[in-house]
Each structure stands twice: as structure tokens, then as C-alpha cells.
């Protein structure tokens, strides 16, 4: 089955700094690469996704980059704000999908 | 469009009992997936139903089962409850098969087993 790893598991940054979370996967059939954000006490919500034919996608302060050869994709958050504090999950998907173990991001004001 | 709904929101059961949780997907969505979320284990995939057929199954014992109805609503059943089954159970719906695009999550059912 798929082996999905997220690093780091916890991340603290100062407000205004950048945060990067990396997700590695093993299933070469994976072709859809989303990131979900889960705030405390709330449900996970998609924040950005990318398909395998694209190397990078940006949406305001959030970007995702994909290296299909190396089987990893990363979430980049620039100019972090306290409301970015949450748990972030990657969920690479092909014939099946798998959620990473999550990264707890804390943005310190 | 109404979002994904789950009932009940909270449930307290005792060991050995069984429980049934319900999930109503967004109108038009044909795929429903179920997850168990605990503080130490993150989001664990239980199973996915698409057009009334179980498409994928996670690594959970047979005490966990599910089904999907013709209107795409789904139920999950856990028999012979154990203390370790205490968790937040989330369902998520998507238009196509869950691996093809965004999943929309429900608010979850908080199950406590005593």
C-alpha cells in the first residue's frame, strides 16, 4: 500500500515568516495531490491541490509544488498569520488515497 | 447547497454495544468516505462507497462496516464496541470517486465508549 509521510510533525513560526511542509509518498499511480487544513474543533477543508501534469500552483499566500520523480510535494505558506495556525494534512491519491499524519502549525504573533 | 451532515453529533455507548452513524452527502455527490480521527493517530481511512458499492477499505477489523443507499446517504456500523473505538468519526463526500478530487467533510460524530 501507499506509504505517506509528512515532515515536520510540528512547526512553529513567527508571524510574517514562511512555513513549508513536505509530503512524501510511494505510490507511483498517485496523480492528485491535495492539502487539507483542519482548525481546532473544525472539519478538514481543502486549501489547495495540484494534478500530476503541473509542477506548481499558487493561490495568494499558499502554494504547492510537486516533484513527481522524487515522489514528494510541499505546501508553502508565505507571510504567515495567526489564523494559519492549524493541522495540515496531505492526501496523495491515485487509485486510492491516503492521508498523511498531519503537521501542527503554530504561528506566533 | 447544503453541506455534508452527520447524525448524531455526539454519542455515548458502553463496551459491547453497537452503534450506527449516518452521513448525508452534498446533493449530487456519489462518493462517501469514512474516517476515524484520534489525537494520536490522525485521520485513519475506514472505507469509501461509490454508487452503493464499497470501493476501498482501510485496515480496520470486521466490526466496522458500512453501506450506501441509492440516494448516496451512507451509514457506518461498529459492533461490539471497545474503549479504543472512542474517536471522532468523519465522513466526506465527493462528486466522483474520492481519489479524483476534493472531498467535503462533515462535522463529525464524537463517539465515547465507556
Amino acid at each position: 500500500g501507499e506509504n505517506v509521510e509528512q515532515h515536520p510533525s510540528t512547526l512553529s513560526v513567527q508571524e510574517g515568516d514562511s512555513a513549508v511542509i513536505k509530503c512524501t509518498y510511494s505510490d507511483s499511480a498517485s496523480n492528485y495531490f491535495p492539502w487539507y487544513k483542519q482548525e481546532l474543533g473544525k472539519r478538514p477543508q481543502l486549501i489547495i491541490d495540484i494534478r500530476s501534469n503541473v509542477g506548481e500552483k499558487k493561490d495568494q499566500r499558499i502554494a504547492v509544488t510537486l516533484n513527481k520523480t522524487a515522489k514528494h510535494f510541499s505546501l508553502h505558506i508565505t507571510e504567515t498569520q495567526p489564523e494559519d495556525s492549524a493541522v495540515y494534512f496531505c492526501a496523495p491519491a491515485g487509485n486510492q488515497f491516503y492521508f498523511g499524519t498531519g503537521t501542527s502549525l503554530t504561528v506566533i504573533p | 447547497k447544503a453541506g455534508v451532515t452527520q447524525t448524531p453529533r455526539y454519542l455515548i455507548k458502553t463496551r459491547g454495544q453497537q452503534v450506527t452513524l449516518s452521513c448525508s452527502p452534498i446533493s449530487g455527490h456519489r462518493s462517501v468516505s469514512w474516517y476515524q480521527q484520534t489525537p494520536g493517530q490522525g485521520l485513519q481511512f475506514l472505507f469509501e462507497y461509490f454508487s452503493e458499492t464499497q470501493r476501498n477499505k482501510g485496515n480496520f477489523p470486521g466490526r466496522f462496516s458500512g453501506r450506501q443507499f441509492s440516494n448516496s446517504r451512507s451509514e457506518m456500523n461498529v459492533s461490539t464496541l471497545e474503549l479504543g473505538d472512542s474517536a471522532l468519526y468523519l465522513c466526506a463526500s465527493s462528486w466522483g470517486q474520492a481519489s479524483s478530487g476534493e472531498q467535503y467533510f462533515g462535522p463529525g460524530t464524537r463517539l465515547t465508549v465507556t
Side-chain angles (χ1 to χ4, degrees):
Chain A
E2 173 82 285
N3 183 26
V4 177
E5 293 186 359
Q6 258 182 258
H7 295 283
S9 56
T10 60
L11 181 59
S12 289
V13 299
Q14 290 291 136
E15 182 177 357
D17 287 350
S18 295
V20 181
I21 303 169
K22 185 175 178 180
C23 181
T24 60
Y25 62 96
S26 59
D27 188 354
S28 55
S30 294
N31 56 14
Y32 174 62
F33 306 93
W35 284 95
Y36 287 84
K37 174 185 180 182
Q38 187 176 28
E39 296 176 68
L40 191 62
K42 296 190 176 179
R43 68 193 80 182
Q45 288 191 302
L46 179 77
I47 54 169
I48 197 165
D49 57 8
I50 197 169
R51 300 241 172 228
S52 58
N53 57 345
V54 177
E56 182 176 0
K57 182 178 178 181
K58 280 185 181 179
D59 183 4
Q60 299 182 356
R61 297 185 299 107
I62 294 172
V64 54
T65 57
L66 171 65
N67 185 327
K68 210 155 186 271
T69 304
K71 295 196 181 78
H72 65 75
F73 63 113
S74 297
L75 175 69
H76 304 255
I77 306 174
T78 58
E79 300 172 24
T80 53
Q81 300 168 4
E83 51 264 39
D84 295 329
S85 296
V87 178
Y88 293 82
F89 294 95
C90 64
N95 298 321
Q96 294 193 38
F97 55 92
Y98 305 84
F99 273 79
T101 48
T103 296
S104 178
L105 172 65
T106 302
V107 179
I108 304 164
Chain B
K1 251 185 192 177
V4 179
T5 58
Q6 291 186 245
T7 56
R9 294 293 311 279
Y10 302 91
L11 206 47
I12 300 175
K13 291 284 189 179
T14 55
R15 275 181 299 176
Q17 287 186 314
Q18 73 164 14
V19 66
T20 299
L21 312 182
S22 181
C23 174
S24 292
I26 290 172
S27 178
H29 284 191
R30 296 180 294 168
S31 171
V32 174
S33 299
W34 288 90
Y35 299 86
Q36 182 192 67
Q37 187 169 38
T38 56
Q41 297 295 320
L43 273 168
Q44 301 286 309
F45 169 67
L46 282 154
F47 26 67
E48 177 197 359
Y49 285 87
F50 181 77
S51 295
E52 301 179 67
T53 302
Q54 187 180 85
R55 184 172 174 268
N56 287 307
K57 190 176 191 304
N59 191 25
F60 277 81
R63 301 185 295 107
F64 292 81
S65 63
R67 58 178 176 168
Q68 186 180 33
F69 302 95
S70 58
N71 61 357
S72 293
R73 188 177 70 85
S74 178
E75 287 183 346
M76 189 192 99
N77 184 275
V78 188
S79 62
T80 320
L81 284 165
E82 300 177 359
L83 294 178
D85 297 333
S86 294
L88 179 68
Y89 290 88
L90 292 161
C91 77
S93 76
S94 59
W95 185 84
Q97 291 167 350
S99 58
S100 63
E102 180 176 2
Q103 294 184 72
Y104 295 81
F105 283 83
T109 294
R110 173 76 62 185
L111 172 64
T112 302
V113 182
T114 62

